[in-house]
């Protein structure tokens, strides 16, 4: 029988396709009350997109204009999210599975995919592309073992992702809606939660 010590690396978990919910005691203010969809997680680290914070009144039409992509009449309007502090000038589109970029799409799982190439924006500007999508600038990234360590120190709760939570819930309601998936009332959360 072996026992873990504080110097042992945390056990590996795969959170790909799941949601992180920031605990009230989150030390980094950029992640306060954030909801992060994990696009990839391995022993090399993790990458996710914040799905409940907007990027300063930026809309898809603004982004298309900056990239010299002409929008078709009636092309949908959608806000741009602050995906995280890493590579904040780079765009990512989290979308329902089924759409495949002609260049490169990361299949997160059977329900979600992520594309970071311009062709998805061109398709969306033409009124095509994925039916349900969320556009983000920047991403949240963790090095090897960093996310596991933050979870072990009660920085995050984990819940299952659903298309309704990711695409169909208002940004202001996503944090409490994600907690509700776990049966947790935000009012009873403490910044000083204990570990079991």
């Amino acid at each position: 029988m072996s026992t873990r010590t504080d110097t042992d690396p945390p056990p590996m978990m795969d959170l790909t396709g799941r949601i992180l919910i920031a605990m009230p005691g989150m030390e980094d203010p950029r992640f306060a009350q954030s909801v992060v969809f994990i696009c990839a997680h391995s022993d090399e680290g993790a990458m996710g997109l914040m799905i409940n914070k907007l990027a300063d009144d930026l809309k898809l039409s603004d982004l298309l204009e900056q990239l010299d992509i002409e929008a078709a009449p009636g092309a949908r309007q959608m806000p741009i999210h602050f995906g995280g502090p890493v590579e904040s000038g780079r765009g990512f589109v989290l979308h329902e599975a089924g759409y495949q970029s002609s260049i490169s799409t990361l299949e997160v799982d059977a329900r979600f995919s992520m594309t970071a190439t311009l062709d998805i924006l061109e398709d969306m500007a033409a009124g095509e592309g994925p039916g349900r999508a969320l556009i983000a600038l920047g991403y949240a990234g963790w090095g090897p073992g960093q996310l596991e360590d933050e979870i072990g120190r009660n920085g995050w709760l984990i819940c299952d992702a659903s298309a309704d939570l990711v695409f169909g819930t208002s940004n202001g309601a996503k944090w409490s809606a994600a907690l509700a998936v776990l049966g947790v009332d935000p009012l009873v959360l403490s910044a000083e939660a204990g570990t079991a």
Side-chain angles (χ1 to χ4, degrees):
M1 179 174 180
S2 67
T3 56
R4 273 185 95 254
T5 66
D6 287 341
T7 57
D8 291 336
M12 179 57 202
M13 57 180 84
D14 184 0
L15 299 176
T16 303
R18 302 202 62 205
I19 297 265
L20 299 179
I21 310 161
M23 289 289 284
M26 176 58 65
E27 294 171 11
D28 188 333
R30 296 172 297 183
F31 289 96
Q33 289 198 346
S34 66
V35 179
V36 181
F37 179 88
I38 299 297
C39 298
H41 187 206
S42 71
D43 58 0
E44 296 175 12
M47 179 270 182
L49 299 172
M50 272 194 261
I51 60 170
N52 67 327
K53 297 186 183 257
L54 295 179
D56 298 329
D57 296 324
L58 193 61
K59 299 203 175 347
L60 177 58
S61 57
D62 303 320
L63 191 58
L64 295 175
E65 188 175 316
Q66 289 175 13
L67 297 169
D68 288 327
I69 298 173
E70 191 166 332
R76 65 181 148 168
Q77 284 300 314
M78 53 195 314
I80 306 298
H81 287 75
F82 170 66
V86 183
E87 292 189 50
S88 58
R90 185 170 176 205
F92 301 87
V93 181
L94 178 63
H95 53 89
E96 62 188 359
Y99 171 85
Q100 187 74 32
S101 159
S102 60
I103 301 171
S104 175
T105 291
L106 169 69
E107 283 187 28
V108 176
D109 59 25
R111 304 161 302 148
F112 297 97
S113 294
M114 193 264 299
T115 302
T117 52
L118 276 180
D119 60 328
I120 190 170
L121 294 179
E122 293 168 345
D123 288 349
M124 292 171 81
E128 300 168 2
R132 296 178 96 181
L134 182 146
I135 303 171
L137 289 177
Y139 69 91
W142 294 266
Q146 185 182 2
L147 179 56
E148 291 84 350
D149 182 59
E150 289 180 15
I151 291 168
R153 289 185 288 117
N154 297 309
W156 302 98
L157 291 175
I158 304 159
C159 77
D160 290 330
S162 70
D164 284 340
L165 176 61
V166 174
F167 304 119
T169 303
S170 71
N171 290 314
K174 283 181 184 173
W175 188 71
S176 56
L179 287 170
V181 170
L182 299 174
V184 175
D185 182 341
L187 297 176
V188 300
L189 278 182
S190 166
E192 301 295 325
T195 57

